Amino acid sequence: MVLGVGLLGGTTAGTLLIDDAEAGASVSRAFDEARGLWHTVPVDTLFPRTVEGEGAGPGGADRRWSRLAVAPDGDCRHAFDPLLAKTLSPVGCRRLVRATYADETSTDVITVGIVFTESDRAGMRKLGERFTEEGLGERTDLLPRTFAPRGTVAADFGDAQRASWTLHVRTDAPVIVYAVAGFADGRTVTEPRPAADATDPEATSAPAQAGLGHDAVGMADRVERVLRAGLPDQVKEED
């Protein structure tokens, strides 16, 4: 009887190991599928021509953004400040897609970008944990760069014009979403503020008063919603 119980236990353990291996393989396949969303999701779905931000502005005001241009897809060279590029390097960069928008008054401009990485789930979780534990998303030496399309109100939107930003490392997909906002008049911003700070009702900085933190969060949030809708069920997690 003891021998029988031992054999039964061994069979159960073996079944669990097989199930775990199959589940791991399924997640791996789903990650690979999610990595290809940059070319399977239509550009007008990923970056809509007009984005409605109901309640997305300061004090719950509605916002609306119009797309100015979509950048050609490419690699991540020159897309981030050097230290941020180094920080993100462990997960690699399969593809970068990005677009720039203006608010309905054409006073604020926002670049939103999506990095499709080479990483597996463990790598994305490790990077996400590092951003959370070390507060990397709030450091002004770790900023995404802008996409300034010529002939638009964002033509002068460069490094010196970055006023507020957000960056989110997803752990349910090989994806990093970011947005960086600034003023359309090309003014230099000496103290950019992370969106978490610029959306504080008590904040008094210029980016906060202008609602640029809300712009960055609103655009990034809406892009993430589109991405999440396209993710395979095997990798979806609750936000």
Side-chain angles (χ1 to χ4, degrees):
M1 185 172 67
V2 172
L3 178 59
V5 170
L7 290 172
L8 181 60
T11 301
T12 302
T15 300
L16 291 174
L17 288 173
I18 292 172
D19 289 345
D20 287 346
E22 290 179 347
S26 177
V27 169
S28 180
R29 287 193 298 270
F31 247 64
D32 286 338
E33 182 180 339
R35 215 183 314 276
L37 289 176
W38 68 271
H39 66 80
T40 58
V41 177
V43 66
D44 284 343
T45 299
L46 201 56
F47 298 126
R49 294 180 182 276
T50 302
V51 175
E52 301 288 345
E54 184 176 350
D62 293 342
R63 302 287 266 192
R64 179 175 178 164
W65 303 280
S66 296
R67 193 181 75 197
L68 300 176
V70 177
D73 61 87
D75 56 34
C76 292
R77 285 181 295 177
H78 313 303
F80 306 111
D81 282 352
L83 190 54
L84 178 56
K86 182 178 179 180
T87 302
L88 299 179
S89 62
V91 296
C93 174
R94 171 72 62 89
R95 217 68 179 171
L96 169 68
V97 293
R98 52 186 176 166
T100 293
Y101 288 77
D103 75 332
E104 58 187 338
T105 65
S106 293
T107 56
D108 303 342
V109 288
I110 312 98
T111 291
V112 59
I114 311 166
V115 179
F116 292 87
T117 77
E118 300 280 4
S119 180
D120 58 11
R121 172 171 268 177
M124 296 304 295
R125 283 180 171 171
K126 184 176 180 179
L127 182 63
E129 289 169 359
R130 186 182 175 200
F131 262 80
T132 300
E133 293 169 1
E134 300 180 24
L136 301 184
E138 300 181 1
R139 285 178 44 169
T140 56
D141 56 348
L142 296 172
L143 266 67
R145 287 179 170 162
T146 66
F147 163 53
R150 296 177 181 177
T152 72
V153 296
D156 296 324
F157 187 28
D159 286 357
Q161 286 69 45
R162 295 174 294 183
S164 189
W165 79 98
T166 183
L167 185 149
H168 183 202
V169 178
R170 294 199 67 98
T171 57
D172 58 353
V175 167
I176 297 168
V177 176
Y178 68 86
V180 55
F183 298 101
D185 61 9
R187 77 183 73 172
T188 297
V189 179
T190 56
E191 294 185 8
R193 304 304 307 158
D197 175 86
T199 54
D200 187 328
E202 303 299 321
T204 58
S205 66
Q209 294 294 308
L212 293 175
H214 290 82
D215 282 335
V217 170
M219 284 303 311
D221 178 65
R222 277 144 189 83
V223 167
E224 287 201 62
R225 289 184 190 180
V226 172
L227 280 171
R228 193 173 190 283
L231 291 178
D233 290 339
Q234 297 94 321
V235 297
K236 284 184 180 179
E237 293 178 347
E238 292 298 324
D239 289 327

